[in-house]
Amino acid sequence: MYYCLQCQPGFRAALLTFCLWEAAFGSTFDTHTLSLFGGATASSVGRGEVWRLVTAGFLHCSLIHITANCICLLSIGSVVERALGRLRTFSIYLISTIAGFSGAVLVSPAAVTVGASCGLCGLLGALLVTDLRDGVGWTKQQWSWLL
């Protein structure tokens, strides 16, 4: 985990940006604000704003939300990146994000959805497949912590 924090300045920048955003504009629990800044809703995606299927994955509704997602991304993403490389890891994350938010707007059309959980679930699936296939993923202790 220390390795991840050392080599990923982007995560620290994301947390700092979110903290400054919260200080300047207040909480993002407001669904109108989340929608305004790119949260995925069925009505907006239905109007052709498909870019929201990507931007929603980078929006978070609270400091706890982004912190938890960053910790999970550091834990899971670094292992997947070492096993599959940066380009494949990014591709899995992006495709999972788009697919996850596509499903979310179908299942819950009235909700504004945000967060990195869709991409994280895709990375977790990639980690599981990589670990089963190559045995280069996590130890039993790490899997038990996750599950």
Side-chain angles (χ1 to χ4, degrees), residues 15-89:
L15 285 173
L16 177 62
T17 302
F18 188 82
C19 290
L20 293 173
W21 182 269
E22 284 274 311
F25 300 105
S27 175
T28 53
F29 279 114
D30 177 38
T31 57
H32 176 71
T33 304
L34 290 172
S35 181
L36 184 67
F37 287 102
T41 62
S43 61
S44 60
V45 173
R47 286 192 308 266
E49 298 175 6
V50 293
W51 52 269
R52 289 177 179 272
L53 299 175
V54 175
T55 57
F58 297 96
L59 290 173
H60 293 81
C61 63
S62 70
L63 185 57
I64 292 172
H65 186 199
I66 194 170
T67 302
N69 278 311
C70 282
I71 290 169
C72 289
L73 188 55
L74 285 170
S75 300
I76 298 167
S78 62
V79 177
V80 174
E81 185 178 350
R82 278 193 298 263
L84 300 177
R86 280 190 178 156
L87 183 60
R88 283 185 181 163
T89 301

Side-chain angles (χ1 to χ4, degrees), residues 73-137:
L73 188 55
L74 285 170
S75 300
I76 298 167
S78 62
V79 177
V80 174
E81 185 178 350
R82 278 193 298 263
L84 300 177
R86 280 190 178 156
L87 183 60
R88 283 185 181 163
T89 301
F90 177 73
S91 299
I92 290 167
Y93 183 83
L94 185 62
I95 291 167
S96 300
T97 298
I98 293 169
F101 283 114
S102 297
V105 298
L106 290 173
V107 172
S108 185
V112 178
T113 54
V114 295
S117 298
C118 298
L120 290 172
C121 286
L123 290 179
L124 186 59
L127 177 63
L128 179 62
V129 168
T130 302
D131 195 35
L132 291 173
R133 185 189 67 195
D134 302 333
V136 296

